[in-house]
Amino acid sequence: MAKKIFEVRINETVFAERISADSWKTPQQLTSRQVSGKIYFTDQRIVFLASGLIGADSVSWEIEMRDIQSVKTCMTPPCFPFGILITMKDGGKYKLGIMKRSKYIDWISQHIS
């Protein structure tokens, strides 16, 4: 099976692409664990593609902007101020570690309001 790649949808505008990030938590994970990869922000969705050769597809994810309830800063383990906590309308939570997080939080906030 081929590794997932990011493809822009028709009428989709990309804000940032191939940004190094760590996914620390998703609704599917029972415990927090660091998964490194690249993140893509568009006006329609946020896509995280995990790095690595084996099992990357199982920890990659994509969420629609319309399904996001809120976004705020948080800490990433052990206690670094790089975290973004995304809460979905269904109660699911995604935690990302990303440098220069404020511009991404501002951008997400503008697109979910």
Side-chain angles (χ1 to χ4, degrees):
M1 177 181 228
K3 188 173 177 179
K4 288 182 184 179
I5 60 168
F6 175 74
E7 294 179 356
V8 179
R9 295 175 181 166
I10 296 172
N11 298 322
E12 182 175 42
T13 303
V14 176
F15 169 68
E17 59 185 328
R18 295 196 49 78
I19 306 302
S20 293
D22 293 323
S23 176
W24 283 94
K25 179 82 176 102
T26 68
Q28 296 76 27
Q29 289 176 253
L30 297 177
T31 60
S32 290
R33 73 173 194 170
Q34 183 178 12
V35 178
S36 296
K38 301 291 182 186
I39 196 154
Y40 301 78
F41 294 94
T42 78
D43 60 339
Q44 296 177 19
R45 61 197 168 133
I46 299 171
V47 179
F48 176 79
L49 298 178
S51 302
L53 299 174
I54 299 173
D57 288 348
S58 66
V59 290
S60 295
W61 49 265
E62 177 177 320
I63 55 176
E64 298 292 327
M65 295 298 280
R66 68 176 175 265
D67 296 333
I68 297 173
Q69 178 178 324
S70 65
V71 61
K72 65 180 184 178
T73 62
C74 66
M75 302 295 270
T76 58
C79 58
F80 295 115
F82 303 132
I84 297 175
L85 183 65
I86 300 170
T87 303
M88 307 302 288
K89 292 178 180 175
D90 67 4
K93 294 184 186 296
Y94 292 81
K95 183 188 284 189
L96 295 168
I98 190 169
M99 300 296 286
K100 300 179 183 177
R101 67 181 175 180
S102 61
K103 72 178 178 180
Y104 302 107
I105 289 173
D106 291 343
W107 189 84
I108 293 168
S109 296
Q110 290 173 10
H111 283 81
I112 62 172
S113 56

